[in-house]
Amino acid sequence: MTTSIPRASAILAGLALILLPLVAVAVKTIAYPGWMLVVMIYYSPILLIGYATQIVVAANGLLRERGVLRTGSAGRRPVIAAWLTSVAVVATAFFLVDGGDDGRYGSVFTELMGTSSTAAGESASMAVLTPLALLWVGGWLWLVTEWIVQLVLARRVRERFRLNSERGLDF
């Protein structure tokens, strides 16, 4: 059974997949930079591959008029997964504790709460960060899995249609 995602929902989810990770980097870089940025740069090939994959999924699956995530049998699941990973990456950046050589540490959250460089602020931020990071990665894996499954199903339908056409069973 094939369903169709509303055009606006698909476009918004696709744009969120492309833009919100950039917002997350901006939040982290501008609001509370520190040594975690160095770690992010060290792991940047992995993060860039994941982001590039996310852009391909958005462009191929959601932003294209006949994208596999818009017209496949998955229903709204890909849109939910897209929003989950997109919002969770920004929230993760918001709660990620970072620090520099000056001994100060904290996150955007601890800065807003006035608890930067305190054990209580760090504990509160890290308690929220861990589930958010898991939601971010889990949402990304869910989205990519939905995309792959829908690509395989679409290929099977095309192949079945091609075989039926060759046999003269057009209907």
Side-chain angles (χ1 to χ4, degrees), residues 3 8 10 32 110 134-135 148 159 170:
T3 61
Y32 214 104
T110 61
L134 291 172
L135 284 173
I148 291 169
E159 185 65 24
D170 293 331

Side-chain angles (χ1 to χ4, degrees), residues 15-33 36-37 40 47 51 54 84-96 98 108 129 136:
L15 290 175
L17 282 170
I18 295 169
L19 298 175
L20 287 183
L22 300 175
V23 170
V25 170
V27 164
K28 185 70 203 120
T29 305
I30 295 168
Y32 214 104
M36 285 306 293
L37 286 174
M40 288 170 56
L47 294 173
Y51 181 56
Q54 192 164 308
L84 178 65
T85 191
S86 298
V87 171
V89 71
V90 175
T92 298
F94 185 81
F95 285 95
L96 181 63
D98 207 346
V108 178
L129 172 74
W136 167 31

Side-chain angles (χ1 to χ4, degrees), residues 8-91:
S9 294
I11 289 173
L12 286 174
L15 290 175
L17 282 170
I18 295 169
L19 298 175
L20 287 183
L22 300 175
V23 170
V25 170
V27 164
K28 185 70 203 120
T29 305
I30 295 168
Y32 214 104
W35 280 106
M36 285 306 293
L37 286 174
V38 175
V39 172
M40 288 170 56
I41 291 169
Y42 181 73
Y43 286 103
S44 65
I46 295 168
L47 294 173
L48 287 174
I49 289 169
Y51 181 56
T53 302
Q54 192 164 308
I55 290 172
V56 170
V57 169
N60 180 7
L62 292 167
L63 296 176
R64 244 181 51 206
E65 188 66 36
R66 304 272 313 142
V68 295
L69 296 178
R70 287 177 70 169
T71 59
S73 61
R76 290 198 159 286
R77 290 191 317 257
V79 171
I80 294 167
W83 279 107
L84 178 65
T85 191
S86 298
V87 171
V89 71
V90 175

